[in-house]
């Protein structure tokens, strides 16, 4: 199936927020932000700024008519600094000019004085100082304390995993336009249109029905626009509301990188006990999450970390504790995987250390401990339809792991300074928002007189192909061709109270709602066809290929005829439906429940080649068996898997966020922050689908968005193996990303 979005992109015809034709009189917002990490404003002087020719307004915290508050889970984040400063880049003033240049001149004319206070960047130090975002949480099962004595070996260690910049192609953007009677229409590049609507209404102190938020599409998001698109939309809404003029903002790449949060760096302690055969008996872990200055989505992200503590393995005795630590960085936020990658990295590190201690291959331990049906996870969910072993068995057989191992052994024997390494990365990722209430969606389907169809849902298109998938679901359900269907923008006027498009659930939830709405229309049309065809009670009507079938025989009635007849018979050709994922719940008091609709499984083999004189390396190949159920669209799913793999490799290898000693971001553009490019990305990515229908999914499919990111972790451990081939006594320290510099230092330490 062709992705209609792709054609528009290639022709440069797709509209993003920054492409929306400007209304007459549009003004431009820019931000004056904090130059210091931590402190208090003692004096601010905006008079020279307001005197700049073309500057229309300089808005401060006390110009906000409603609440100066944009916190989502916890109300701890002001839109504009009141007095206390918490990070470099924290917005202090919105400067509005009649051109981007005058706005820039205006903010350069602002003068502030401040007193600095001490900043904290290390989550463990923040923890010791009692700087917590929310109380610590512990998930546990069995009894780790009693089990240590029964273990043949126990390994302990510490893991560091790094931050990661989202690098969506489209930077943060918003455009506000006044409507009549005090309303506003805001085009926002957000994953969460209703969230933006709600918070703007609070900030402006107006009812939500006065705020219309529209999302045409996003140029990538990866979680970076789940919560952090809100601030910019609020800024232009505030300016537009105050000045009664259209106002837009579009961050530069550097502003975006400096001012927005990243994937959370974690520092973690682990302890794992095993039998001498390699069976894991007990696992304890503490996660110190570096949340940055405000809560943002950190507590939810930490929760998903705890859910994925043991990845795709079974451990009978587990104790996992998570603490969200408040530091002096911009608030860290959602990023593909949402805390699960950090947990899975630590578990693989523990396994790696244990295998080395036991003198066994990591993959022997991995295989031995894979999750099987009817096992209970640390949070009480019982595993059904586990595909962990199925993926594993197909992986080692179809890609012939023995042959690969032999080839690598031979290579390493004859090459003293170039070494190869491989690693297997098995994955199990829970599908559903962990906050149960978010697992809801609705869809509004209109069939027009000519038989064409328009659909609105809560799903935001961000390049992941959700529009295409929803189109496919509607086409299949209505029995018509996809060309007849148009998926509209995501808009709060057409769909209310939307959950963010996140947690890999966009196609699942919105597709289910769309299927339900389409079935309502099919039901009405079928009854009408029944009458028109003078059918008997037992006769069945179906819609296929734009034709009406009676007992599986094609009739003379076409889709268009039937739609037309329905109109004249005064039958509604529109339907709205609501879907809520059934049978999920979670009780935070006891930390037990069944939070996920189902799991996505998969496994990968990553091969790397390391130059041990220079420290640089290539990720040669990633070979995957991936469980996509019966894929809704194999081409889109393949694209999502490839993208996830490359993004995950970047997190573990070349992408390094570096701050100066004062907390200023040094890696603030794409010359200093390296993401994988087409040369560095593996030239050989092979993907095979497990292809077993998912009875719990939409048309037997499974979600695709986040799980493939986890395969990237394989690159880290493959590199470690290549390093060990050069230097067997390598220090067993776990610190991701493994940049070429770090590799070189470790090899010659
Ligand atoms: N966002 C969210 C997410 O609010 N809740 C989640 O559980 C989640 N999981 C993955 C990605 N985004
Ligand atoms: Mo998310 S990390 O916005 O699915």
């Amino acid at each position: 199936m062709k992705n209609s979005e792709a054609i528009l992109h290639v022709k440069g015809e797709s509209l993003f927020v920054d492409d929306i034709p400007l209304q007459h009189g549009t003004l431009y917002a820019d931000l004056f932000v904090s130059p210091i990490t931590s402190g208090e404003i003692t004096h601010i002087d905006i008079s020279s700024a307001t005197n700049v020719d073309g500057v229309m307004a300089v808005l401060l915290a006390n110009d906000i008519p409603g609440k100066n508050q944009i916190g989502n889970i916890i109300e701890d984040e002001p839109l504009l600094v009141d007095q206390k400063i918490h990070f470099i880049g924290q917005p202090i003033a919105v400067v509005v000019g009649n051109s981007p240049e005058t706005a820039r001149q205006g903010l350069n004319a602002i003068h502030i004085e401040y007193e600095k206070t001490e900043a904290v960047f290390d989550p463990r130090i923040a923890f010791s100082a009692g700087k917590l975002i929310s109380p610590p949480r512990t998930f546990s099962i069995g009894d780790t304390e009693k089990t240590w004595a029964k273990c043949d070996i126990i390994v302990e260690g510490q893991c560091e995993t790094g931050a990661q910049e989202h690098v969506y192609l489209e930077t943060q953007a918003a455009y506000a336009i006044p409507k009549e009677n005090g309303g506003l229409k805001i085009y926002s590049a957000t994953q969460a249109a209703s969230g933006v609507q709600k918070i703007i209404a609070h900030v402006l102190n107006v009812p939500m029905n006065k705020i219309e938020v529209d999302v045409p599409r996003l140029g990538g998001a990866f979680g970076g626009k789940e919560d952090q698109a809100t601030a910019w939309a609020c800024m232009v809404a505030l300016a537009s509301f105050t000045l009664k003029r259209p106002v837009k903002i579009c961050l530069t790449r550097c502003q975006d990188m400096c001012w927005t949060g990243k994937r959370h760096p974690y520092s973690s302690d682990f302890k794992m006990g095993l039998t001498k055969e390699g069976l894991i008996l007990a696992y304890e872990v503490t996660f110190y999450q570096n949340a940055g200055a405000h809560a943002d989505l950190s507590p939810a992200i930490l929760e998903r970390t705890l859910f994925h503590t043991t990845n795709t393995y079974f451990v009978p005795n587990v104790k996992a504790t998570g603490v969200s630590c408040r530091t002096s960085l911009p608030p860290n936020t959602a990023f593909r995987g949402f805390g699960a990658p950090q947990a899975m990295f630590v578990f693989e590190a523990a396994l790696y250390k244990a295998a080395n201690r036991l003198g066994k291959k990591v993959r022997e331990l991995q295989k031995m401990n894979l999750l099987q049906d009817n096992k209970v996870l640390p949070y009480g969910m019982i595993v059904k339809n586990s595909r962990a072993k199925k993926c594993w068995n197909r992986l080692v057989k179809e890609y012939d792991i023995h042959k690969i191992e032999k080839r690598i052994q031979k290579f390493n024997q004859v090459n003293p300074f170039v070494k190869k390494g491989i690693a297997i990365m098995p994955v199990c990722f829970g599908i559903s928002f962990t906050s149960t209430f978010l697992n809801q969606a609705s869809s509004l389907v209109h069939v027009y007189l000519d038989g064409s169809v328009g659909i609105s849902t809560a799903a935001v298109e961000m390049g992941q192909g959700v529009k295409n998938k929803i189109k496919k679901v509607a086409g299949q359900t209505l029995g018509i061709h996809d060309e007849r269907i148009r998926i509209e923008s995501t808009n709060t006027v057409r769909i209310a109270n939307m959950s963010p498009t996140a947690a890999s659930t966009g196609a699942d939830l919105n597709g289910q709602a769309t299927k339900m709405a389409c079935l309502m229309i099919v039901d009405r049309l079928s009854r009408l066809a029944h009458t028109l065809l003078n059918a008997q009670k037992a006769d069945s009507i179906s819609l296929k290929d734009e034709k009406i079938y009676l007992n599986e025989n094609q009739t003379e009635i076409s889709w268009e005829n039937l739609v037309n007849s329905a109109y004249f018979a005064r039958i509604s050709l529109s339907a709205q439906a609501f879907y809520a994922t059934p049978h999920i719940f979670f009780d935070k008091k006891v930390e037990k429940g069944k939070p996920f609709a189902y799991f996505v499984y998969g496994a990968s083999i990553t091969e790397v080649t390391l130059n041990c004189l220079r420290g640089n390396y290539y990720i040669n190949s990633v070979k995957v068996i991936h469980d996509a159920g019966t894929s809704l669209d194999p081409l889109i799913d393949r694209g999502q898997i490839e993208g996830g793999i490359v993004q995950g490799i970047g997190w573990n290898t070349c992408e390094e966020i570096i701050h100066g000693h004062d907390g200023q971001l040094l890696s603030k553009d794409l010359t200093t922050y390296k993401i994988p490019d087409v040369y560095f990305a593996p030239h050989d990515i092979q993907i095979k689908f497990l292809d077993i229908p998912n009875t719990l999914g939409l048309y037997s499919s499974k979600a695709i968005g986040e799980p493939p990111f986890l395969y990237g972790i394989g690159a880290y451990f493959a590199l470690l193996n290549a390093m060990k081939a050069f230097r067997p006594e390598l220090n067993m320290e776990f610190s991701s990303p493994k940049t070429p510099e770090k590799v070189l230092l470790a090899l010659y330490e």
Side-chain angles (χ1 to χ4, degrees):
M1 184 189 188
K2 277 185 198 156
N3 187 343
S4 46
E5 289 279 301
I7 295 165
L8 291 178
H9 294 342
V10 169
K11 296 201 315 199
E13 288 175 1
S14 26
L15 283 187
F16 297 85
V17 168
D18 195 37
D19 302 320
I20 290 166
L22 294 185
Q23 281 227 349
H24 183 69
T26 292
L27 304 173
Y28 300 82
D30 207 333
L31 303 179
F32 179 77
V33 304
S34 164
I36 61 160
T37 323
S38 184
E40 220 167 276
I41 301 179
T42 51
H43 180 71
I44 182 157
D45 180 5
I46 59 168
S47 55
S48 338
T50 48
N51 286 337
V52 171
D53 202 25
V55 168
M56 313 298 287
V58 177
L59 302 167
L60 298 167
N62 55 18
D63 296 312
I64 294 171
K67 273 207 228 164
N68 180 19
Q69 183 50 245
I70 60 168
N72 176 346
I73 298 178
I74 300 172
E75 297 205 338
D76 71 343
E77 183 173 0
L79 175 64
L80 296 171
V81 170
D82 222 339
Q83 198 175 8
K84 283 215 161 53
I85 289 170
H86 300 281
F87 60 92
I88 293 182
Q90 188 169 17
I92 294 173
V94 185
V95 184
V96 191
N98 57 10
S99 73
E101 293 72 27
T102 52
R104 170 54 46 115
Q105 280 164 20
L107 69 89
N108 284 336
I110 293 177
H111 177 73
I112 63 164
E113 287 161 24
Y114 43 74
E115 270 167 24
K116 283 192 188 180
T117 53
E118 204 185 329
V120 182
F121 302 108
D122 183 326
R124 289 177 190 256
I125 294 174
F127 175 69
S128 317
K131 292 178 191 290
L132 295 187
I133 297 280
S134 50
R137 286 175 71 178
T138 299
F139 283 19
S140 69
I141 193 162
D143 190 334
T144 48
E145 275 315 311
K146 280 199 187 132
T147 311
W148 300 125
K150 298 177 198 150
C151 300
D152 295 322
I153 66 149
I154 293 172
V155 289
E156 292 180 75
Q158 185 173 330
C159 276
E160 308 296 325
T161 53
Q164 187 178 24
E165 163 62 40
H166 301 83
V167 203
Y168 25 64
L169 278 178
E170 175 205 33
T171 53
Q172 302 276 356
Y175 184 25
I177 298 170
K179 298 211 290 191
E180 67 174 22
N181 200 14
L184 283 177
K185 175 168 186 171
I186 295 104
Y187 293 99
S188 167
T190 178
Q191 293 171 246
S194 292
V196 169
Q197 178 196 23
K198 184 180 94 179
I199 291 183
I200 290 177
H202 283 178
V203 166
L204 300 182
N205 193 24
V206 299
M208 281 171 75
N209 65 5
K210 285 204 169 178
I211 305 298
E212 173 184 356
V213 177
D214 189 277
V215 188
R217 64 159 62 66
L218 308 181
F222 309 111
K225 297 168 184 174
E226 182 173 342
D227 217 40
Q228 298 211 350
T230 304
W232 330 109
C234 288
M235 311 275 184
V236 291
L238 171 66
S240 180
F241 189 75
T242 309
L243 296 166
K244 311 271 177 279
R245 296 270 294 267
V247 182
K248 77 177 275 187
I249 191 167
C250 182
L251 302 194
T252 64
R253 177 66 60 189
C254 180
Q255 288 177 331
D256 194 302
M257 290 180 80
C258 289
W259 300 349
T260 66
K262 320 266 171 265
R263 181 187 297 285
H264 294 74
Y266 276 43
S267 183
S268 313
D269 295 321
F270 65 82
K271 180 173 176 183
M272 182 181 271
L274 308 91
T275 65
K276 58 182 182 302
E277 290 78 25
L279 204 64
I280 307 167
L281 298 181
Y283 181 57
E284 268 188 24
V285 59
T286 305
F287 301 106
Y288 297 92
Q289 179 195 51
N290 189 336
H294 301 291
D296 193 88
L297 291 165
S298 298
I301 291 162
L302 187 67
E303 183 175 58
R304 187 172 279 276
T305 301
L306 293 172
F307 282 122
H308 291 82
T309 295
T310 54
N311 185 10
T312 188
Y313 304 103
F314 172 65
V315 185
N317 302 285
V318 178
K319 185 177 170 203
T321 301
V323 282
S324 184
C325 311
R326 198 185 291 276
T327 61
S328 311
L329 293 171
N332 287 317
T333 194
F335 196 145
R336 201 176 198 171
F338 208 71
Q342 291 92 328
M344 293 187 190
F345 183 94
V346 180
F347 200 93
E348 287 304 315
L351 267 182
Y352 192 88
K353 199 161 184 175
N356 274 277
R357 177 80 63 79
L358 288 168
K360 288 182 183 293
K361 287 183 180 156
V362 178
R363 73 177 169 88
E364 288 178 59
L365 267 60
Q366 288 174 318
K367 183 182 177 190
M368 191 184 302
N369 292 288
L370 287 176
L371 203 50
Q372 283 171 289
D373 279 357
N374 302 316
K375 295 293 188 194
V376 185
L377 291 162
Y379 49 92
M381 184 161 168
I382 300 164
V383 176
K384 300 282 178 199
N385 296 310
S386 169
R387 292 170 185 179
K389 288 224 148 151
K390 287 194 177 82
C391 288
W392 181 277
N393 291 338
R394 272 195 61 184
L395 184 85
V396 298
K397 184 156 162 265
E398 292 184 26
Y399 296 115
D400 201 343
I401 189 83
H402 298 284
K403 204 166 139 195
I404 298 176
E405 275 179 342
K406 270 201 203 112
R407 172 170 56 76
I408 286 181
Q409 222 171 13
K410 221 186 222 161
F411 181 95
N412 286 348
Q413 270 165 11
V414 299
N415 289 284
F417 300 117
V418 183
K419 297 293 180 189
K420 277 182 174 287
I422 57 163
I424 299 186
M425 183 64 205
V427 169
C428 169
F429 191 88
I431 301 301
S432 289
F433 286 94
T434 61
S435 302
T436 303
F437 71 92
L438 289 174
N439 296 287
Q440 54 173 303
S442 36
S443 176
L444 176 63
V445 177
H446 294 314
V447 178
Y448 296 98
L449 271 187
D450 61 355
S452 67
V453 174
I455 301 178
S456 296
T457 73
V460 170
E461 175 63 43
M462 55 188 98
Q464 85 282 44
V466 71
K467 278 192 178 182
N468 233 52
K469 284 189 170 177
I470 288 173
K471 213 185 250 194
K472 210 159 176 172
V473 165
Q476 193 165 331
T477 315
L478 295 171
I480 60 174
H481 300 150
D482 302 326
E483 295 78 50
R484 278 198 193 266
I485 304 166
R486 180 184 158 89
I487 311 293
E488 305 292 349
S489 67
T490 315
N491 186 297
T492 55
V493 170
R494 275 174 267 119
I495 306 286
N497 313 321
M498 297 181 263
S499 291
T501 301
S504 308
T505 63
D508 273 28
L509 298 177
N510 295 285
Q512 292 280 17
T514 299
K515 183 179 171 191
M516 288 165 72
C518 289
L519 283 174
M520 287 156 77
I521 294 172
V522 166
D523 183 58
R524 292 179 210 144
L525 290 176
S526 299
R527 284 164 200 263
L528 175 63
H530 207 267
T531 313
L532 294 176
L533 291 165
N534 290 318
Q536 302 300 305
K537 209 166 181 190
D539 291 342
S540 77
I541 302 281
S542 53
L543 284 67
K544 260 186 309 208
D545 265 338
E546 316 226 319
K547 290 280 183 309
I548 311 310
Y549 286 73
L550 177 64
N551 299 327
E552 308 297 321
N553 299 314
Q554 190 180 321
T555 68
E556 285 309 301
I557 306 179
S558 71
W559 164 256
E560 271 186 60
N561 297 150
L562 189 58
V563 165
N564 222 263
S565 308
Y567 173 74
F568 285 105
R570 299 190 295 169
I571 292 168
S572 166
L573 288 165
S574 297
Q576 190 267 357
F578 175 81
Y579 178 78
T581 311
H583 315 304
I584 51 173
F585 65 96
F586 193 70
D587 182 352
K588 281 193 188 184
K589 279 197 291 296
V590 291
E591 305 283 28
K592 300 280 178 200
K594 181 189 174 293
F596 300 118
Y598 58 85
F599 295 98
V600 169
Y601 295 87
S604 64
I605 306 173
T606 305
E607 180 176 331
V608 309
T609 306
L610 169 67
N611 180 329
C612 302
L613 295 179
R614 302 170 66 185
N616 62 343
Y617 47 75
Y618 290 97
I619 314 298
N620 306 102
S621 66
V622 181
K623 295 169 178 155
V624 177
I625 301 290
H626 187 87
D627 164 30
T630 304
S631 172
L632 276 180
D633 191 322
L635 202 58
I636 283 180
D637 285 356
R638 198 169 285 274
Q640 285 294 297
I641 296 170
E642 289 181 358
I645 286 172
V646 175
Q647 200 167 36
I649 289 174
W651 177 52
N652 281 284
T653 58
C654 57
E655 295 188 36
E656 191 176 31
I657 296 282
I658 304 171
H659 292 98
H661 54 87
D662 292 332
Q664 73 275 34
L665 185 68
L666 299 178
S667 49
K668 61 184 178 184
D669 56 40
L670 296 175
T671 63
T672 46
Y673 184 73
K674 295 288 190 185
I675 61 169
D677 60 12
V678 287
Y679 301 103
F680 181 69
H683 292 191
D684 181 17
I685 296 182
Q686 294 179 38
I687 296 158
K688 293 182 186 179
F689 290 109
L690 189 64
D691 231 344
I692 305 175
N694 173 25
T695 51
L696 300 168
L698 173 61
Y699 283 122
S700 303
S701 70
K702 283 198 178 182
I704 193 73
E706 296 172 287
F709 180 89
L710 285 317
Y711 299 136
I713 295 173
Y716 184 94
F717 291 95
L719 252 177
L720 221 50
N721 282 330
M723 291 164 72
K724 265 178 74 77
F726 181 76
R727 188 178 185 205
E729 71 280 17
L730 191 76
N731 243 339
M732 206 60 76
E733 58 121 46
F734 301 99
S735 171
S736 178
K738 210 132 210 63
T739 57
E741 293 88 336
K742 283 206 226 162
V743 169
L744 203 59
L745 287 171
L747 288 181
Y748 299 99
E749 194 170 37

